[in-house]
């Protein structure tokens, strides 16, 4: 699906990120291509959120460089990354509980209309676009852009944040644990959104702690352990067990995982990971 | 469909952050209309509370915007006398041109606002503490400078007729021109908060600072701008008062701190930010001023005004909380959904 002759949409070269004396990311080099889903895996505190914040202009790398279409770029603020088509849904965030759906959707990129010499916020347009963007993703319960975000369910809020990112993400879509707080059905929706974004040719960076979710959508996997890139491989290159062990973060965990696995599963599966259908529970 | 329309309009009423303050205003107005003598309803009665409302309101509006953005500014309490004194000392004591005095006072307001905003961003300390610091610093500076320069704490200043007429005079002998400045300020800030994109940024900033920043909003410039706005407005009121009374005192302004907060909170602004309207702030200011002045038109002990304001504030906050809860849980199609399920 991805074209290796073209430079990657986004590339990190030897990126370090420190907060004062604490080095959170160490020598990270990664590539993301068009129409490809990169799954970023790793234990709690491994540095995944820090990595994507570096990609989305929240932090600047301490050392190393970021390349967009092969050209070095510098994102001094989130707006710079957005203007280059990089759109991010951060962990635990992105929506404002006491704002209306329409207003929240357009924070920072408000549509305006002319009112005499003045530019006014176009509430009607904002509401219409916001509502249709979420409905496109199957959340048809949302039909009134004046409703406050705080009245929506966790899944609806997350879907809204993702719909927003897809709407503004021209080239790269970054999702930090978008399925973490979601039920089975809502998580399936999110996975479908990811696949749809890939089909449209976007590069997607997807963070998750759930092996199933990663295996469902990932083309390319990168594992962070304590801020360093511990593994970088493509779909089919590692077994599900190996991935699970890597996600758990280390050797000691791997044994425990295997014990549990053996305990739960009479016949552990050992064949390489196949392209699975986008989760079975959503097939209606 | 018509039932649905009705629901929608109920929803939009419940969702308005100022719904509670309308009820509060009507309640106190009726209370004083009944218990006050007939003069409360006369032009002079209206003027008595409108004058108070205008003076507080000019400061309460930007303080309210700051609160919506998640910040507090209590340094206005010393900014008002400080700007009065700067104006009176420059244009009264030193007899500089009137424009110089006004400009100096307003610039000092902008400067203090900038310092408040910069320190809040830079130190990460809550703005209540930062502005508590500037409150005392500015008060001390004002007292020291005025004693050092003039040897007194009260300075007289005479303004030319044009300045007097536009900034500090009475219309029909009873209404302060400040009322028009307040209305103008309400319209401008109402436009900013509700119709301009910046209003959306303010709501987002107060709702979730981190997400607002991540969404690409210039949160630092916005924060500094809002602090500058509130200090500037306080300086404006200080100048205005000096022109109106032809003199300035060092110690006149501390009551504004709590009065503005009461006005803003009664007006339905959430103390922790992210929610509120300009109409609400205006209504809250009117409610506060009616209680503050209306008591003199009744046969009650005037000291009861504070009690009423206290109770009113608590009642308003509780009421605003429940309205906000209703706004959050309100979903227009609920009944329809239930009907669908029943089928
Ligand atoms: N602003 C910061 N200042 C100092 N340390 C930080 C900062 N942000 C993150 N860290 C540290 O960096 C490490 C990585 O954090 P990060 O949030 O990137 O982890 P993560 O992989 O996203 O974890 P999780 O799966 O729990 O979301 C943690 O040890 C954290 O304490
Ligand atoms: Mg994280």
């Amino acid at each position: 699906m991805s074209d290796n002759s073209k430079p990657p949409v986004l590339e990190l070269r030897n990126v370090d990120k420190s907060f004062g004396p604490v080095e959170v990311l160490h020598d990270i080099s990664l590539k993301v291509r068009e129409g490809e889903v990169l799954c970023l895996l790793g234990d709690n505190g491994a540095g995944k959120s820090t990595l994507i914040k570096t990609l989305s202009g929240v932090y600047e790398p301490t050392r190393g460089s970021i390349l967009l279409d092969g050209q070095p770029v510098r994102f001094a603020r989130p707006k710079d990354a957005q203007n280059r088509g990089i759109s991010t849904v951060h962990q635990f965030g992105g929506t404002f509980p006491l704002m209306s759906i329409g207003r929240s959707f357009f924070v920072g990129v408000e549509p305006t209309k002319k009112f005499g010499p003045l530019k006014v916020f176009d509430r009607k347009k904002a509401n219409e676009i916001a509502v249709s963007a979420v409905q496109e993703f199957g959340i048809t319960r949302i039909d009134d852009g004046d409703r406050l975000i705080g009245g929506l369910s966790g899944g609806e809020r997350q879907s809204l944040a993702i719909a927003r990112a897809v709407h503004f993400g021209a080239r790269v879509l970054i999702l930090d644990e978008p399925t973490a707080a979601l039920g089975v059905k809502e998580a399936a929706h999110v996975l479908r959104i990811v696949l749809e974004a890939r089909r449209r040719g976007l590069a997607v960076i997807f963070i998750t702690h759930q092996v199933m979710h990663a295996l469902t959508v990932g083309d390319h996997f990168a594992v962070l352990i304590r801020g360093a890139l511990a593994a970088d491989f493509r779909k089919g290159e590692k077994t599900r067990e190996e991935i699970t062990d890597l996600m758990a973060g280390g050797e000691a965990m791997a044994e425990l995982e295997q014990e549990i696995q053996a305990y739960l599963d009479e016949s552990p599966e050992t064949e390489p990971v196949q392209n699975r259908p986008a989760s079975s529970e959503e097939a209606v | 469909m018509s039932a649905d329309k009705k629901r929608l309009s109920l929803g939009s009423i419940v969702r308005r952050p100022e719904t509670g303050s309308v009820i509060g205003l009507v309640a106190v107005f009726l209370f004083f209309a009944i218990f006050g003598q007939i003069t409360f309803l006369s032009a002079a009665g209206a003027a008595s509370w409108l004058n108070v409302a205008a003076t507080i309101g000019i400061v309460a509006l930007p303080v309210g915007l700051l609160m919506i953005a998640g910040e507090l500014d209590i340094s206005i309490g010393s900014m008002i006398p400080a700007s009065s004194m700067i104006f009176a000392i420059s244009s009264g004591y030193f007899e500089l041109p009137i424009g110089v005095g006004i400009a100096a006072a307003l610039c000092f307001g902008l400067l203090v606002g900038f310092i408040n905003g910069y320190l809040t961003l830079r130190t990460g300390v809550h703005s209540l503490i930062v502005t508590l610091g500037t409150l005392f610093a500015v008060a001390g500076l004002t007292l020291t400078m005025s004693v050092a320069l003039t040897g007194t704490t009260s300075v007289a200043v005479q303004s030319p007729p044009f300045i007097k007429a536009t900034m500090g005079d009475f219309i029909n002998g009873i209404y302060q021109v400040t009322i028009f400045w307040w209305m103008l300020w309400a319209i401008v800030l109402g436009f900013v908060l509700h119709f301009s994109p910046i209003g959306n940024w303010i709501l987002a900033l107060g709702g979730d600072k981190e997400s607002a920043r991540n969404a690409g909003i210039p949160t630092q410039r916005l924060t500094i701008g809002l602090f500058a706005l509130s200090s500037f407005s306080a300086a404006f009121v200080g100048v205005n008062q000096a022109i109106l009374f032809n003199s300035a005192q060092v110690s006149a302004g501390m009551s504004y701190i709590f009065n503005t907060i009461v006005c803003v909170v009664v007006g339905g602004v959430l103390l922790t930010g992210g929610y509120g309207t300009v109409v609400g702030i205006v209504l809250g200011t009117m409610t506060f001023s009616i209680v503050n002045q209306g008591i003199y038109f009744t046969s009650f002990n005037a000291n009861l005004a504070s009690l009423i304001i206290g109770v009113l504030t608590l009642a308003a906050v509780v009421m605003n909380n429940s309205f906000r809860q209703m706004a959050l849980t309100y979903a227009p199609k609920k009944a329809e959904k239930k009907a669908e399920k029943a089928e």
Side-chain angles (χ1 to χ4, degrees):
Chain A
M1 202 174 288
S2 52
D3 181 0
N4 279 348
S5 64
K6 269 168 105 177
V9 182
L10 202 55
E11 181 179 353
L12 288 171
R13 268 193 206 155
N14 311 102
V15 165
D16 291 351
K17 176 67 199 169
S18 311
F19 295 105
V22 189
E23 190 168 70
V24 173
L25 295 177
H26 178 70
D27 197 27
I28 306 284
S29 296
L30 263 182
K31 291 176 185 167
V32 212
R33 294 176 189 282
E34 275 176 8
E36 183 182 280
V37 178
L38 166 68
C39 277
L40 201 54
L41 311 173
D43 209 3
N44 291 121
K48 306 180 297 295
S49 296
T50 308
L51 179 64
I52 61 111
K53 280 181 183 165
T54 314
L55 286 174
S56 56
V58 177
Y59 302 141
E60 281 197 78
T62 313
R63 272 175 296 277
S65 48
I66 301 175
L67 287 84
L68 191 73
D69 298 318
Q71 299 298 313
V73 282
R74 193 175 149 261
F75 302 138
R77 54 187 74 82
K79 193 99 195 159
D80 295 346
Q82 274 165 27
N83 290 343
R84 306 299 289 265
I86 300 172
S87 182
T88 310
V89 179
H90 291 278
Q91 199 175 7
F92 322 116
T95 54
F96 306 89
L98 290 167
M99 283 174 87
S100 74
I101 289 169
R103 278 184 171 270
S104 178
F105 196 87
F106 283 98
V107 161
V109 276
E110 292 78 7
T112 52
K113 60 181 178 196
K114 276 237 148 74
F115 181 77
L118 301 165
K119 272 191 182 164
V120 300
F121 176 69
D122 192 343
R123 177 176 142 263
K124 198 161 155 257
K125 189 171 164 195
N127 286 357
E128 275 172 16
I129 295 174
V131 167
S132 75
V134 255
Q135 290 204 337
E136 240 177 70
F137 287 125
I139 312 287
T140 48
R141 273 162 298 176
I142 295 178
D143 53 8
D144 176 4
D146 277 328
R147 258 181 89 182
L148 300 185
I149 302 282
L152 305 178
S153 78
E156 288 166 338
R157 281 175 73 163
Q158 188 65 264
S159 305
L160 185 68
I162 295 169
R164 178 185 198 276
V166 173
H167 186 81
F168 295 110
R171 311 212 46 207
V172 183
L173 178 63
I174 303 177
L175 306 173
D176 193 352
E177 297 194 32
T179 57
L182 302 189
V184 176
K185 211 166 123 198
E186 255 115 2
H189 262 308
V190 171
L191 297 182
R192 204 188 285 150
I193 292 168
V194 170
L195 293 173
E196 171 63 20
R198 176 176 70 176
R199 197 192 59 75
R200 291 189 200 170
L202 268 74
V204 183
I205 301 176
F206 180 74
I207 298 180
T208 180
H209 283 292
Q210 273 153 297
V211 192
M212 260 310 294
H213 294 170
L215 296 181
T216 306
V217 297
D219 300 304
H220 173 187
F221 302 83
V223 183
L224 284 181
I225 295 180
R226 266 169 271 121
L229 199 60
D232 183 359
F233 54 92
R234 303 200 63 80
K235 178 161 62 190
E237 289 175 6
K238 283 202 195 308
T239 66
R240 183 180 172 165
E241 279 65 44
E242 285 170 315
I243 297 175
T244 312
D245 294 350
L246 277 165
M247 282 175 78
E251 296 305 312
M253 285 303 296
E255 275 173 26
L256 178 63
E257 285 287 333
Q258 248 148 27
E259 268 173 43
I260 296 168
Q261 197 71 32
Y263 187 76
L264 292 175
D265 200 352
E266 301 298 325
S267 53
E269 195 183 331
T270 43
E271 78 271 18
V273 177
Q274 296 300 314
N275 194 1
R276 283 158 193 280
S279 120
S280 51
E281 63 270 6
E282 65 170 301
V284 188
Chain B
M1 194 60 216
S2 68
D4 192 50
K5 274 256 169 65
K6 217 168 127 201
R7 256 172 235 289
L8 265 172
S9 71
L10 174 69
S12 48
I13 290 169
V14 155
R15 270 183 211 143
R16 302 220 52 98
E18 66 270 11
T19 305
S21 46
V22 173
I23 296 171
L25 179 63
V26 170
V28 297
F29 191 84
L30 287 179
F31 179 86
F32 286 104
I34 292 165
F35 290 99
Q37 289 135 22
I38 192 70
T39 44
F40 175 72
L41 295 173
S42 71
S48 82
W49 63 262
L50 273 174
N51 290 343
V52 168
T55 321
I56 297 177
I58 291 174
V59 187
L61 284 164
V63 165
L65 290 201
L66 259 180
M67 198 184 279
I68 295 171
E71 307 288 352
L72 275 173
D73 182 3
I74 63 169
S75 69
I76 52 131
S78 62
M79 197 55 235
I80 293 171
S83 66
S84 276
M85 289 307 288
I86 291 174
F87 167 66
I89 291 173
S90 316
S91 300
Y93 189 82
F94 288 116
E95 296 178 346
L96 294 170
I98 197 93
V100 173
I102 294 176
L106 296 182
C107 285
F108 184 67
L110 287 176
L111 176 72
V112 171
F114 180 85
I115 292 171
N116 282 336
Y118 180 79
L119 288 180
T120 301
L121 292 172
R122 199 56 209 257
T123 60
V125 172
H126 194 282
S127 50
L128 175 70
I129 306 300
V130 170
T131 58
L132 183 67
T134 46
L135 172 78
F136 276 86
V138 169
L141 193 68
T142 310
L143 183 60
T144 313
M145 292 304 283
S146 90
V147 171
L149 290 172
T150 69
T152 103
T153 56
S154 169
V155 177
V157 57
Q158 290 302 325
S159 310
F162 171 71
I163 295 295
K164 190 86 184 151
T166 50
M167 296 272 291
D169 207 353
F170 290 96
I171 298 161
N172 283 340
I174 49 174
Y175 297 104
Q176 289 179 15
V177 285
T178 325
I179 295 169
F180 291 103
W181 287 106
W182 176 41
M183 282 160 63
L184 179 72
W185 221 201
I187 291 167
V188 170
L189 296 186
F191 177 83
V192 169
L193 184 62
H194 301 297
F195 297 101
S196 81
I198 294 175
N200 220 32
W201 304 356
I202 294 173
L203 289 166
L205 180 61
D208 182 351
K209 204 178 281 185
E210 184 92 8
S211 292
R213 198 176 98 80
N214 290 345
I217 291 173
T219 51
Q220 305 209 336
R221 263 188 294 155
L222 189 60
T223 306
I224 289 180
L226 287 170
F227 274 108
L229 186 73
S230 89
S231 272
F232 177 84
S233 303
F236 180 85
V237 166
V239 170
N240 179 266
Q241 295 290 291
I243 294 172
L244 185 71
F245 299 117
N246 301 317
S247 81
Q249 277 89 35
V250 167
S251 61
M254 292 297 174
S255 66
Y256 279 90
I257 299 170
F258 291 115
N259 292 353
T260 50
I261 294 177
V262 168
C263 294
V264 168
V265 169
V266 168
V269 175
L270 186 61
L271 184 68
T272 48
Y275 199 63
T277 59
V278 162
V279 173
I281 299 168
V282 169
L283 296 177
T285 310
M286 287 164 71
T287 310
F288 171 84
S289 313
I290 288 176
V291 178
N292 191 276
Q293 293 297 306
I295 200 81
Y296 300 111
F297 294 89
T298 66
S299 50
F300 306 138
N301 185 335
N303 295 335
L304 278 177
S306 289
L307 175 69
I308 299 177
I309 287 171
V311 172
L312 182 77
T313 307
L314 291 176
V317 170
V318 170
M319 188 162 62
N320 289 333
N321 269 343
S322 36
F323 272 115
R324 197 168 51 249
Q325 219 48 50
M326 278 161 78
L328 278 176
T329 50
Y330 180 80
K333 294 284 172 65
K334 236 176 209 158
E336 215 172 87
K337 273 266 150 64
K338 267 188 200 138
E340 258 171 38
K341 266 194 189 138
E343 269 166 25

